[in-house]
Amino acid sequence: MSAREGPRGGPGNDASSREGPAVPLYVVTGGGSEEEEDPLVLDLVTLVVARSAPSSGMRPEQAAILRMCGRPLSVAEISAHLDLPFSAVSLLVADLRSGDHVEVRETRAEQEQAAADPDLETLKALIDGLQRL
C-alpha cells in the first residue's frame, strides 16, 4: 500500500493522501509523551494565552500557537487552526507552559478541585445568614 492509497488499495479520502505524506506527530511534538511527573490537565475548553513572543529555535507549531494566542483561545480552536489532533496540541501547550511562554486558564481539574475544597469561612457565613432567616 503506497502513501497515497487507502486501506483497500484505492485512493485515500483523508487530507494527508491528497497533500502527500504526513509528518508523524512525534516529530511535531518533539517526541513528547503524555507521561509526565506533573501532567497538565487540559480539556477542549481550556483557554491558552501567550505570555511571550515566539523565539528562534522553537518548533513552527509552537511559534504559531504563541502568535495566535495574543487573545485567549481554547485548545479546541488551536487544534482546528493548526489542523492537529487534541493530543498533539496538548503536548505542545504543556511544553510552552513549562517554559513559561503561555498561561493556561481554568482547566476542568482546577474547577473540580475548587468545588471539592470549598472555602470554610464562606460556608460558615452562609450558614449563619441562613440561620438568621
Side-chain angles (χ1 to χ4, degrees):
M1 177 167 67
S2 74
R4 294 190 177 273
E5 291 179 343
R8 296 188 183 187
N13 293 329
D14 62 348
S16 64
S17 66
R18 290 187 302 269
E19 297 172 8
V23 176
L25 290 178
Y26 66 86
V27 173
V28 172
T29 62
S33 72
E34 294 181 18
E35 298 175 10
E36 297 178 16
E37 291 178 15
D38 184 25
L40 176 62
V41 179
L42 295 174
D43 57 21
L44 292 172
V45 296
T46 300
L47 295 177
V48 179
V49 183
R51 298 181 86 179
S52 66
S55 61
S56 62
M58 278 188 170
R59 289 190 291 280
E61 295 80 12
Q62 287 181 320
I65 290 171
L66 291 177
R67 281 191 298 273
M68 73 176 72
C69 288
R71 294 187 340 218
L73 271 181
S74 70
V75 177
E77 292 172 303
I78 296 168
S79 179
H81 286 298
L82 294 178
D83 196 26
L84 290 173
F86 170 78
S87 58
V89 172
S90 64
L91 288 172
L92 292 168
V93 169
D95 285 346
L96 287 170
R97 183 174 179 245
S98 69
D100 204 29
H101 296 288
V102 296
E103 176 184 342
V104 177
R105 296 185 181 170
E106 288 300 315
T107 63
R108 191 170 286 166
E110 291 171 350
Q111 293 171 352
E112 290 171 0
Q113 182 65 29
D117 296 333
D119 180 29
L120 293 178
E121 294 302 317
T122 303
L123 289 176
K124 287 178 184 177
L126 178 65
I127 291 171
D128 290 340
L130 290 172
Q131 287 175 344
R132 284 189 226 137
L133 289 177

